[in-house]
């Protein structure tokens, strides 16, 4: 059965406290190459039957209205996993 | 500056309560095509300079040891974002 992957990230303009904490931890470990970490969500939807444009449009609606909070997050991608 | 994307998902054999809750919500909305939803984490690391094999190996270590709990999660991909 096909899998559709929906990826949601915090809006770039917003402070990401979790990401800041991880960045700080990496720097305390001595890393100097990672300048920023941002943490979001990844949804894997297992679907029955074929992936049609109608289904992808339906998933886009779910992504915008259920999987993300449009005030603080962006849906960055919706893809059919290989 | 390049971005490395690390994706972490709950192990397939484990119950994903969050995913189950979302699946139930979709079904209550009348959806019949989505049979399962699983929810994981997506890390975006902004790095300075070029992405070398050594840096990717370092990120793999961070992914295994910091970004995921190897008992309940798998690192499903580490990619340089385009």
């Amino acid at each position: 059965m096909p899998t559709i992957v929906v990826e949601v990230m915090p809006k770039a303009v917003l402070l990401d406290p979790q990401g800041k904490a991880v960045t700080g931890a990496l720097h305390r470990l001595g890393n100097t190459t990672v300048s920023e970490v941002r943490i979001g969500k990844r949804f894997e939807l297992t679907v029955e039957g074929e992936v049609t444009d109608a289904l992808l449009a339906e998933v886009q609606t779910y992504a915008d209205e259920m999987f993300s909070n449009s005030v603080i997050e962006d849906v960055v991608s919706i893809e059919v996993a290989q």
Side-chain angles (χ1 to χ4, degrees), chain A residues 47-81:
Chain A
V47 295
E48 288 173 12
E50 258 186 87
V51 175
T52 60
D53 287 342
L55 178 57
L56 285 174
E58 194 178 343
V59 169
Q60 178 75 54
T61 308
Y62 295 141
D64 294 337
E65 294 175 10
M66 282 180 70
F67 301 163
S68 66
N69 174 345
S70 57
V71 174
I72 58 170
E73 293 170 323
D74 289 321
V75 177
V76 295
S77 82
I78 295 180
E79 282 170 10
V80 184

Side-chain angles (χ1 to χ4, degrees), chain A residues 18-54:
Chain A
Q18 277 189 318
K20 282 264 180 280
V22 171
T23 311
L26 292 181
H27 290 170
R28 281 192 298 279
L29 286 172
N31 176 284
T32 55
T33 48
V34 177
S35 57
E36 185 188 26
V37 175
R38 292 172 58 239
I39 303 173
K41 295 175 284 193
R42 183 176 191 265
F43 296 81
E44 283 187 3
L45 283 64
T46 306
V47 295
E48 288 173 12
E50 258 186 87
V51 175
T52 60
D53 287 342

